[in-house]
Amino acid sequence: MTPETNDSPRLDPVGAEPTPEAQEETSFGELLSEFERGHSAPGAEDRPAFIDGVVLSLNEQSVLVDVGRKHEGTLPLDAVLDPAGKPRVKPGDTIGVNIGGRDENGYYLLSLFKVTVPKDWSGLEAAFAEKAIITGTVEELIKGGLRVDVGARAFLPASRSGARDIPEMEKLVGQQIECRITKLDVEKEDVVVDRRGILEERAAKAKEEAFAALQEGAIVEGAVRNVMDFGAFVDLGGVDGLLHVSDMTWVRSAKPSDVVKSGDTVRVKILRIDREKKKVSLGMKQLTPDPWTVATASLEPNTRVRGKIVRVMDFGAFVELQPGVEGLIHVSEMSWSRKQKRPADIVTVGEMVDVVVLSVKPEEKRIGLGLKQTLGDPWEEAVGKFPVGAVVEGPVTNLAPFGAFVELGEGVEGMIHIGDIVNDKRLQHPREALTAGQVVKAAVLEVDHERKRFRLGMKQLEPTSADEYIAEHKVGDSVTGRIVDVSGSTARVELAEGVRATCRIIRKQAPAESKPASADLNSSIAALAARWKQGTVSSADTSGPKAGEVKQFLIRQVDPAKKLIEVELEVG
């Protein structure tokens, strides 16, 4: 057997424990490999690669990811947020990331998109043919765009850089970007790349994903992008939703600019989603109780409340009783006056008023209000002020074929019948004696509580022939008159033109005559029956007074208020 030399390799028996020398060689080999991995050529670790990483932590701006290298990587927080703004990953989750370089602090810059790194012209040709996304380093800003190193020198036009202006393009210099080859000429070594298309594709994809994740009825947060007259557009994480002014607040008169401003973060409810037209309708007021539900529970008819005039229309005015709850004062409930008035002449926008609730209709969201009811009904006061017989004065407000209307105060009206206007003639129409606006005096003849109206008379205030006659005569005077008609023991007598009186006929008692005891009883009965039939009290004058005869009468009673005269006629 050949003896072993020191230079011969020493093999350990299978299953035997490794010798210290073998352990030392193994440890040294691992250390060497680790050293080589940690001290490879400069930038070797920074080369783009798509690998799996483990989420370590999340903060307000980024996600820290363990990528299995000496340094961790950072991923923008926006890349892992769902449409509702909540992270889709948590510490411990494994995610695929692409390493695109390092930041100023040495952390790897990560993205969620897989890219390739061409190493030669064949690689560029393959990427061009497949329209693959590649990475490159922006070297400098040149005329018309940027110079990019993608394994060869490439040109990135300014219009396809994704930058809005020159300052943004300058910020790309020195950074690694993702792009796609749009032109490749190997012979001329002419390469043109595009970055904007990739950004638009990813934005569109993110928008599609965000739109697909939206659900009707969900409550989400978003940023107000711009405010219009009809509402506001809210960014829901790449998807715009319309927040219409009618769905912003329960207050009807509110303007969008009064509720939200650009840049505000708002909490909204998704009301409707039109998947075909890619439209989203949002609401804010739906997140608060309907004020009508609260208001109608507390408002009852005949209660007095206070509110602000928010709108004045031709037919009335709207009063805000609570935010989002309005009631209507109809023009007929604004004033007791029967004259037609414009609501704008009674109330103004912004004015605080006391009103009375007249009706509440929750199902129609309508509240009827009254303004005049807070001022007191002038009719009640007028009834005590103008009793029957009182003399009133006021302007004529309206002429109708049957009479004239007179205003006696705010909301109080009297009517003069055509037959009570003048004494001396019969009118065909009140305009023959009166004109609208004319101030007249009249006596109260009747109080109509049902119609809330006074019946008036003008002619009752004019002196009549009876007034003048009564003024010139007194009880006990003997006057001359003509009998108009006779009815039994009474008659009607004309004492002067237009002056008539009631006459009581009194017959003188005839002296008693002696009669033979043998007088016929039947004759006496016949005489009494004849006297009763003629209404006489004596048989001396069986004919009595007749119509047309002129006689002397004695005044027994006068009533100036009722213009009544009573006389007496004594006949034999």
Side-chain angles (χ1 to χ4, degrees):
M1 217 173 180
T2 306
E4 294 182 1
T5 62
N6 293 334
D7 295 331
S8 298
R10 183 171 41 136
L11 299 177
D12 295 332
V14 177
E17 292 291 334
T19 62
E21 293 79 0
Q23 290 181 355
E24 183 178 352
E25 289 177 1
T26 302
S27 299
F28 178 77
E30 292 177 354
L31 291 174
L32 179 59
S33 297
E34 185 178 348
F35 176 80
E36 289 175 348
R37 288 196 301 269
H39 295 78
S40 56
E45 283 192 333
D46 299 341
R47 295 187 185 125
F50 194 80
I51 62 174
D52 286 337
V54 178
V55 177
L56 297 178
S57 63
L58 296 87
N59 58 35
E60 295 181 354
Q61 298 179 342
S62 62
V63 180
L64 188 64
V65 181
D66 181 2
V67 293
R69 299 189 179 183
K70 291 186 299 182
H71 297 281
E72 290 81 11
T74 59
L75 183 67
L77 181 65
D78 293 342
V80 297
L81 295 181
D82 61 17
K86 297 180 179 180
R88 289 178 289 194
V89 297
K90 62 183 182 299
D93 288 352
T94 299
I95 57 175
V97 294
N98 181 74
I99 299 177
R102 296 196 190 193
D103 62 14
E104 61 275 10
N105 298 319
Y107 289 99
Y108 294 106
L109 297 174
L110 308 177
S111 68
L112 296 178
F113 301 96
K114 188 174 183 179
V115 297
T116 60
V117 185
K119 298 181 180 179
D120 51 25
W121 284 100
S122 61
L124 292 175
E125 288 177 323
F128 177 63
E130 297 173 2
K131 298 182 180 180
I133 298 175
I134 63 174
T135 61
T137 303
V138 179
E139 294 182 331
E140 60 179 329
L141 179 67
I142 61 175
K143 183 179 180 180
L146 297 164
R147 182 70 66 191
V148 183
D149 181 6
V150 293
R153 304 190 80 183
F155 174 62
L156 175 60
S159 62
R160 306 306 301 174
S161 67
R164 291 175 296 181
D165 49 31
I166 296 298
E168 281 195 11
M169 291 177 63
E170 291 176 344
K171 292 180 181 179
L172 293 176
V173 176
Q175 294 189 24
Q176 283 191 335
I177 62 170
E178 296 173 350
C179 55
R180 181 181 287 121
I181 300 174
T182 58
K183 179 182 179 183
L184 178 64
D185 190 331
V186 177
E187 293 182 0
K188 296 181 180 180
E189 295 186 357
D190 184 13
V191 183
V192 178
V193 295
D194 173 36
R195 176 173 178 261
R196 174 180 165 185
I198 297 173
L199 298 178
E200 291 176 346
E201 289 173 6
R202 289 179 178 171
K205 182 178 180 182
K207 185 174 182 179
E208 286 292 332
E209 292 177 351
F211 187 82
L214 296 178
Q215 297 295 328
E216 289 187 0
I219 298 173
V220 296
E221 285 189 353
V224 178
R225 191 164 57 81
N226 53 2
V227 181
M228 314 295 287
D229 291 338
F230 55 84
F233 289 97
V234 180
D235 183 0
L236 302 178
V239 179
D240 277 354
L242 174 60
L243 177 59
H244 195 268
V245 60
S246 61
D247 290 311
M248 284 184 169
T249 174
W250 295 105
V251 179
R252 294 184 182 180
S253 58
K255 298 179 180 179
S257 56
D258 297 334
V259 183
V260 296
K261 292 179 176 56
S262 294
D264 287 353
T265 299
V266 294
R267 191 164 174 260
V268 293
K269 182 177 183 179
I270 299 177
L271 304 180
R272 292 173 298 279
I273 299 177
D274 189 333
R275 303 275 178 193
E276 294 183 2
K277 298 182 179 179
K278 304 293 184 183
K279 291 184 178 181
V280 181
S281 299
L282 307 174
M284 282 179 61
K285 73 178 186 181
Q286 288 78 6
L287 301 180
T288 58
D290 186 346
W292 275 91
T293 305
V294 179
T296 53
S298 59
L299 294 177
E300 295 182 359
N302 300 321
T303 57
R304 184 169 178 148
V305 293
R306 187 170 179 80
K308 181 173 69 174
I309 302 293
V310 291
R311 292 194 309 281
V312 178
M313 314 297 286
D314 291 338
F315 54 84
F318 288 93
V319 181
E320 184 182 55
L321 304 177
Q322 298 176 15
V325 179
E326 295 178 3
L328 172 65
I329 310 175
H330 192 268
V331 62
S332 62
E333 302 296 342
M334 286 189 164
S335 170
W336 290 107
S337 176
R338 296 180 183 269
K339 292 182 180 179
Q340 188 66 29
K341 292 187 177 182
R342 295 174 59 247
D345 296 333
I346 302 175
V347 295
T348 57
V349 173
E351 179 183 359
M352 298 298 296
V353 294
D354 288 327
V355 290
V356 171
V357 177
L358 303 180
S359 63
V360 180
K361 298 180 179 179
E363 65 282 357
E364 300 178 17
K365 291 190 175 181
R366 290 186 179 181
I367 299 176
L369 304 174
L371 179 64
K372 68 183 183 182
Q373 288 79 0
T374 64
L375 307 176
D377 189 347
W379 168 258
E380 301 300 331
E381 181 182 353
V383 170
K385 186 177 180 181
F386 305 130
V388 173
V391 177
V392 297
E393 184 176 358
V396 176
T397 59
N398 187 34
L399 296 173
F402 55 84
F405 293 92
V406 179
E407 183 180 3
L408 303 181
E410 183 74 16
V412 181
E413 196 172 58
M415 192 273 288
I416 306 174
H417 191 270
I418 188 172
D420 291 318
I421 295 177
V422 294
N423 276 313
D424 53 355
K425 66 177 180 178
R426 182 182 181 86
L427 301 178
Q428 299 299 318
H429 195 283
R431 71 168 68 96
E432 296 176 16
L434 300 173
T435 59
Q438 178 182 349
V439 178
V440 299
K441 286 186 177 181
V444 177
L445 306 180
E446 181 185 350
V447 179
D448 189 341
H449 291 275
E450 182 177 350
R451 296 185 181 181
K452 291 188 175 182
R453 182 183 295 168
F454 292 93
R455 182 187 169 201
L456 309 177
M458 290 177 60
K459 74 178 185 180
Q460 286 78 3
L461 298 182
E462 297 178 1
T464 63
S465 300
D467 292 325
E468 295 175 356
Y469 193 90
I470 291 174
E472 295 173 358
H473 297 81
K474 62 182 183 297
V475 174
D477 286 354
S478 178
V479 294
T480 302
R482 182 175 62 86
I483 297 174
V484 177
D485 58 57
V486 179
S487 177
S489 61
T490 61
R492 282 194 302 157
V493 178
E494 184 178 34
L495 301 178
E497 184 178 356
V499 181
R500 294 193 177 189
T502 301
C503 176
R504 187 172 51 145
I505 301 174
I506 300 176
R507 292 187 179 276
K508 296 179 181 179
Q509 293 291 335
E513 296 179 2
S514 58
K515 293 183 180 180
S518 61
D520 190 359
L521 180 60
N522 291 332
S523 298
S524 298
I525 294 174
L528 288 173
R531 288 165 55 193
W532 175 260
K533 184 176 180 180
Q534 294 180 3
T536 60
V537 294
S538 173
S539 60
D541 185 0
T542 59
S543 60
K546 296 180 178 57
E549 292 181 344
V550 176
K551 300 283 186 178
Q552 286 291 119
F553 300 93
L554 184 67
I555 297 177
R556 286 301 186 187
Q557 185 177 353
V558 296
D559 188 340
K562 297 181 179 180
K563 306 181 190 302
L564 296 178
I565 303 174
E566 186 178 325
V567 296
E568 183 181 284
L569 173 63
E570 186 176 6
V571 297

